[in-house]
Amino acid sequence: MVFAVADDGMGPDDSKRPLGEVKIQIIVPEEFIGVALHELITRQGLITAMEAEDQHMVIRASLPAREYDRLVEAIVANTDRGRVERE
């Protein structure tokens, strides 16, 4: 898959939205790791690290800024105690 970026840092063609990314961490109970990974990948997120802390999993990732709010909503709705934080 190929993406083009104009010199001004804006998206190609008529989208004209910034292509910024945010660094995030998703913290979910272990049993919801599959749900969290699915939601992240669906939103074009890139996993940079994963680690276990107590009975939770922490996923560090980067995500297109435009997808951040939708990811937060999905994680909260689909997990019992999951949350998303900006790094």
Side-chain angles (χ1 to χ4, degrees), residues 1 3 6 9 11 17-18 22 24 27 30 39 47-48 50 52 56-57 60 63 69 72-74 81-83 87:
M1 190 177 286
F3 294 96
R17 287 184 282 183
V22 292
I24 61 167
I27 299 107
E30 291 175 344
E39 294 297 343
I47 300 164
T48 57
M50 287 179 29
H56 289 84
M57 291 296 294
R60 287 180 171 57
L63 179 76
D69 291 335
V72 171
E73 290 173 11
R81 300 169 305 279
R83 65 185 192 275
E87 288 190 341

Side-chain angles (χ1 to χ4, degrees), residues 3-68:
F3 294 96
V5 178
D7 289 337
D8 61 359
M10 303 302 274
D13 304 327
D14 59 323
S15 66
K16 298 301 180 193
R17 287 184 282 183
L19 293 175
E21 289 192 346
V22 292
K23 291 185 178 184
I24 61 167
Q25 59 181 6
I26 303 170
I27 299 107
V28 292
E30 291 175 344
E31 63 266 23
F32 292 105
I33 190 68
V35 171
L37 291 173
H38 171 76
E39 294 297 343
L40 177 64
I41 292 167
T42 297
R43 288 166 178 76
Q44 301 174 353
L46 177 65
I47 300 164
T48 57
M50 287 179 29
E51 60 188 70
E53 289 184 5
D54 298 321
Q55 295 183 0
H56 289 84
M57 291 296 294
V58 178
I59 305 165
R60 287 180 171 57
S62 61
L63 179 76
R66 68 182 179 277
E67 295 288 343
Y68 178 79

